[in-house]
Amino acid sequence: MDMFKMIKEAAAMKSKLSEMEKSLKEKIIDTEENGIKVKINAKSEILDIKLSQDAVNQGIEKLEKDILSALKKATKEAQAAMMEEAKSLTGGMKIPGLM
């Protein structure tokens, strides 16, 4: 493979990665767990957390566990969305560090 072709392919991959990052930021996932709503994007950036009055009234220990559970659920869904986006970018190829 000649150097020019490699550089061209690298530039194309960089462009695709940039598009993927933008897409992941824009993909919003809303989850709810025991009265706790979490809004997160597919880059696993937490955007918002809302607590219902029932969740708040159940006691601090239960609330802490439920918040952690809701965040784990949201993060898991965000990671699944990221993997799906990466699959479409790579055509199913597994690239170390990306997947």
Side-chain angles (χ1 to χ4, degrees):
M1 183 180 291
D2 67 19
M3 186 64 97
F4 180 71
K5 187 174 180 181
M6 286 175 54
I7 292 171
K8 190 175 178 181
E9 287 179 5
M13 181 58 86
K14 183 178 178 185
S15 175
K16 286 182 180 181
L17 287 172
S18 180
E19 289 174 25
M20 183 178 115
E21 185 166 333
K22 182 180 179 198
S23 176
L24 292 173
K25 257 191 148 164
E26 292 174 350
K27 184 172 181 90
I28 306 300
I29 299 155
D30 290 303
T31 62
E32 184 170 358
E33 181 93 1
N34 299 324
I36 298 164
K37 294 180 182 181
V38 177
K39 184 181 283 193
I40 189 170
N41 65 22
K43 285 190 64 163
S44 294
E45 297 170 335
I46 298 168
L47 306 172
D48 194 26
I49 297 177
K50 299 278 187 210
L51 308 176
S52 71
Q53 192 59 50
D54 289 339
V56 173
N57 290 340
Q58 63 189 350
I60 193 75
E61 286 183 23
K62 176 82 168 102
L63 179 60
E64 289 171 343
K65 286 179 184 178
D66 286 346
I67 290 172
L68 185 59
S69 177
L71 289 172
K72 285 180 180 180
K73 179 180 176 184
T75 303
K76 185 175 182 179
E77 288 185 32
Q79 289 172 343
M82 184 179 1
M83 291 296 285
E84 195 60 39
E85 186 73 25
K87 247 190 236 178
S88 70
L89 172 73
T90 63
M93 235 177 22
K94 294 198 180 217
I95 298 174
L98 184 60
M99 304 173 109

